[in-house]
């Protein structure tokens, strides 16, 4: 090799430049935080580690916003960010935290359930690192997350994931998926401990209703729906019919399969007294046969390939030139959530959950999601939490 | 961090050291130098806890 030293220095510089230009955006994304302004309804903020101390100081610990009403009533847990690549749930949870006033009952809201997954994304699949939501005071930026927890925090994966305690064999990848590790165990792997801590929150606080907000592909049959086990099915059916009749959008009921273990809508119901519901909003971004996975596709859900497939009746939701915008997805989540509380309160008046200040579908579609986010620059610094 | 994870980081650091050492000692092939740097990329990103 001629000029050995010079060649190695040049190659070393090129390597370092590639490493820095490729790695720095990922490092920044990992450390980026979105400020959330705790609204007047938030009475205290606790942590998941309060229910399992071994989570304290780990990336798996997360904020739990508690909104307590003046009157005692039912208790509900609202979870978002179980899959941080399905962000309509997270936006809905933040709308609740920043705006809801609970009149009766108690609300526990977790906006970032799987923190580890929220801090990495899929650059190899061309995922954007961030997405911006327009608000009256400027754009509010969010991290785009991934479905599963990062191997930086939980590794190695087993060859086959054996679910605890049902012993069902699941995909190795699902050991990092917090919608497969319910009900969890206190001495398990990190994501099993996350779901165990949430189960402890439910059991120790005698939570009555647990709602987990998600998004799903338009080509997947379990989309645009409420997934409910037997014990939640009647309320879910009433909710589905009411939102269709009163608010004009479809949201059918899917039964939670008894023999598919580890999912929140199955295990929360089986291992506690709470009634679980899992909400799925259509999310074209997750579909495989789309164009580039851009921020625009995430926000407006418009894709020419899906439109073509829709004309061939290959999708499980109605789809036209308007796509499935974020406002519509978030609006569905808040409306369905409020309707679940209303129907539950009708059935169990002594354990009613009543809240105000949370917009419904039509208001969010009309004004945009960003209208309900508060400007952190104008908020009391003590009320700001970084997610 | 569990014991397997710690061992994994130690193995990664060892591989980074070996590859770096071989990079310094390589006298003949530019291709080998480039290959070593390519193999180093994910190992360094993991050690730095970036990816």
């Amino acid at each position: 090799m001629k000029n050995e030293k010079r060649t190695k220095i040049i190659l070393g510089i090129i390597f370092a430049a590639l490493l820095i230009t490729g790695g720095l955006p990922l490092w920044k994304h990992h450390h980026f935080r979105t400020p959330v302004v705790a609204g007047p309804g938030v009475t205290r903020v606790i942590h998941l580690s309060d229910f399992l101390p071994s989570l304290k100081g780990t990336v798996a610990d997360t904020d739990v916003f508690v909104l307590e009403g003046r009157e005692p009533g039912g208790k509900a847990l609202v979870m978002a960010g179980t899959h941080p690549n399905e962000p309509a749930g997270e936006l809905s949870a933040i709308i609740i935290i920043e705006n809801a006033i609970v009149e009766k009952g108690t609300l526990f809201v977790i906006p970032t359930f799987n923190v580890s997954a929220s801090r990495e994304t899929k650059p190899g699949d061309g995922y954007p690192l961030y997405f911006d939501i327009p608000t009256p005071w400027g754009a509010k930026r969010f991290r785009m997350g991934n479905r599963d927890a990062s191997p930086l925090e939980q590794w190695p994966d087993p060859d086959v994931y054996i679910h605890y305690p049902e012993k069902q064999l699941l995909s190795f990848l699902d050991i990092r998926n917090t919608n497969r590790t319910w009900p969890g165990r206190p001495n398990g792997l990190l994501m099993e401990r996350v779901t165990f801590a949430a189960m402890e929150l439910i059991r120790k606080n005698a939570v009555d209703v647990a709602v987990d907000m998600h998004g799903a592909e338009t080509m997947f049959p379990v989309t645009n729906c409420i997934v409910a086990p037997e014990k939640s099915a009647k309320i879910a059916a009433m909710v589905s019919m009411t939102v269709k009749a009163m608010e004009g959008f479809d949201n059918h009921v899917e039964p939670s399969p008894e023999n598919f273990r580890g999912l929140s809508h199955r295990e929360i119901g089986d291992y506690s007294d709470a009634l679980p519901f899992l909400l799925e909003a259509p999310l074209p971004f997750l579909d495989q046969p789309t164009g580039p996975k851009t921020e625009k596709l995430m926000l407006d859900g418009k894709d020419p390939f899906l439109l073509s497939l829709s004309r061939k009746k290959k999708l499980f939701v109605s789809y036209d030139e308007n796509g499935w915008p974020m406002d519509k997805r978030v609006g569905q989540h808040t409306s369905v959530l409020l309707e679940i509380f209303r129907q539950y309160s009708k059935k169990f008046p002594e354990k009613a959950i009543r809240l105000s200040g949370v917009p419904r579908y039509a208001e969010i579609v009309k004004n945009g999601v960003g209208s309900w986010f508060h400007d952190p620059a104008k908020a009391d610094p003590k009320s700001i939490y970084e997610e | 961090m569990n014991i397997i994870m710690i061992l994994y980081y130690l193995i990664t650091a060892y591989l980074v050291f070996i590859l770096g050492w071989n990079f310094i000692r390589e006298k003949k092939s530019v291709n080998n130098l480039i290959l070593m740097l390519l193999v180093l990329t994910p190992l360094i990103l993991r050690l730095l806890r970036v990816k």
Side-chain angles (χ1 to χ4, degrees):
Chain A
M1 192 187 331
K2 288 177 189 172
N3 299 318
E4 180 198 332
K5 197 173 172 184
R6 201 176 70 181
T7 307
K8 284 181 179 174
I9 289 172
I10 291 170
L11 283 176
I13 290 170
I14 294 170
F15 173 68
L18 287 173
L19 208 62
I20 291 167
T21 52
L24 197 60
L26 299 179
W27 187 88
K28 280 185 178 169
H29 172 266
H30 193 74
H31 292 85
F32 181 83
R33 301 288 180 269
T34 300
V36 172
V37 181
V42 176
T43 47
R44 59 199 167 103
V45 179
I46 56 175
H47 297 94
L48 215 47
S49 60
D50 296 335
F51 302 93
L52 185 64
S54 73
L55 289 181
K56 203 171 180 64
T58 71
V59 73
D61 199 4
T62 191
D63 292 329
V64 182
F65 294 81
V66 187
L67 292 83
E68 291 154 304
R70 280 186 294 271
E71 276 183 76
K75 291 177 181 172
L77 168 64
V78 178
M79 293 171 284
T82 299
H83 293 153
N85 60 338
E86 300 161 10
E90 183 189 358
L91 302 188
S92 310
I94 294 174
I95 286 178
I96 294 167
I97 291 164
E98 296 200 353
N99 299 281
I101 302 285
V102 178
E103 285 141 18
K104 188 175 168 70
T106 303
L107 218 54
F108 298 89
V109 186
I110 303 178
T112 318
F113 191 71
N114 189 341
V115 181
S116 171
S118 80
R119 291 187 188 172
E120 73 154 8
T121 179
K122 285 185 177 174
D125 283 13
Y127 273 34
L129 292 175
Y130 308 94
F131 63 94
D132 291 323
I133 298 290
T135 75
W137 41 269
K140 189 175 174 77
R141 173 158 282 198
F142 294 85
R143 281 191 313 274
M144 179 70 201
N146 202 354
R147 181 178 171 86
D148 307 304
S150 167
L152 290 174
E153 271 89 43
Q154 184 179 299
W155 194 91
D157 296 328
D159 290 338
V160 174
Y161 161 36
I162 303 169
H163 175 263
Y164 178 85
E166 302 289 341
K167 296 188 172 64
Q168 186 170 54
L169 303 185
L170 297 169
S171 157
F172 75 98
L173 201 59
D174 281 335
I175 192 68
R176 287 188 275 117
N177 176 352
T178 44
N179 200 26
R180 295 294 182 279
T181 57
W182 294 89
R185 50 182 157 177
N187 54 354
L189 294 174
L190 199 54
M191 295 307 117
E192 290 181 298
R193 284 190 275 149
V194 167
T195 46
F196 178 81
M199 283 303 305
E200 286 293 277
L201 185 160
I202 292 168
R203 288 186 286 241
K204 287 183 176 169
N205 287 287
V207 166
D208 303 294
V209 174
V211 184
D212 189 9
M213 294 184 287
H214 287 252
E217 298 88 335
T218 58
M219 294 185 79
F220 183 55
V222 186
T223 191
N224 204 26
C225 63
I226 309 165
V227 189
E230 309 74 29
K231 67 189 208 179
S232 310
K234 278 185 184 171
I235 289 178
M238 284 306 295
V239 170
S240 173
M241 289 188 286
T242 309
V243 295
K244 171 77 178 166
M246 306 298 288
E247 302 186 58
F249 65 85
D250 285 313
N251 213 240
H252 69 278
V253 179
E254 282 282 339
S256 165
E258 254 182 271
N259 296 322
F260 188 8
R261 308 309 306 195
L263 296 112
S264 62
H265 53 74
R266 169 51 46 195
E267 309 297 354
I268 290 175
D270 286 2
Y271 288 89
S272 78
D273 295 328
L275 299 180
F277 301 87
L278 186 144
L279 314 187
E280 293 281 15
L283 181 48
F285 183 90
L286 292 184
D287 279 296
Q288 291 303 319
T290 66
K293 303 287 187 194
T294 59
E295 181 188 355
K296 187 176 175 301
L297 176 61
M298 164 54 75
L299 294 177
D300 66 16
K302 289 180 189 172
D303 182 78
F305 301 100
L306 289 183
L307 191 59
S308 162
L309 287 165
S310 168
R311 287 175 185 145
K312 291 171 185 161
K313 304 198 183 301
K314 301 291 184 193
L315 306 187
F316 287 91
V317 292
S318 58
Y319 191 92
D320 57 22
E321 287 79 3
N322 298 315
W324 267 93
M326 182 68 90
D327 298 335
K328 218 170 142 178
R329 285 176 261 153
V330 173
Q332 286 200 181
H333 274 331
T334 60
S335 265
V336 171
L337 188 68
L338 292 171
E339 199 53 42
I340 287 171
F341 294 155
R342 200 174 76 86
Q343 294 295 339
Y344 179 82
S345 303
K346 270 172 76 178
K347 197 166 180 188
F348 304 100
E350 72 287 358
K351 285 187 176 182
I353 302 162
R354 278 202 302 269
L355 59 150
S356 59
V358 179
R360 297 187 81 110
Y361 177 75
E363 291 170 275
I364 293 180
V365 169
K366 185 181 171 200
N367 299 314
V369 176
S371 310
W372 279 271
F373 293 145
H374 294 232
D375 186 357
K378 290 182 184 160
D380 177 0
K382 286 180 192 164
S383 68
I384 296 175
Y385 293 82
E386 293 192 322
E387 291 296 320
Chain B
M1 197 180 282
N2 63 32
I3 186 75
I4 296 174
M5 199 102 143
I6 293 166
L7 286 173
Y8 176 68
Y9 277 101
L10 290 174
I11 293 166
T12 309
Y14 174 71
L15 288 173
V16 167
F17 172 75
I18 292 290
L19 281 163
W21 182 244
N22 281 334
F23 182 83
I24 292 164
R25 285 169 52 111
E26 177 64 47
K27 304 282 181 198
K28 293 177 186 169
S29 167
V30 177
N31 283 352
N32 280 356
L33 290 177
I34 294 169
L35 273 176
M36 281 172 207
L37 293 176
L38 283 175
V39 175
L40 270 172
T41 308
L43 301 174
I44 289 181
L45 287 176
R46 179 56 69 96
L47 271 187
L48 296 173
R49 293 182 59 75
V50 170
K51 186 67 186 165

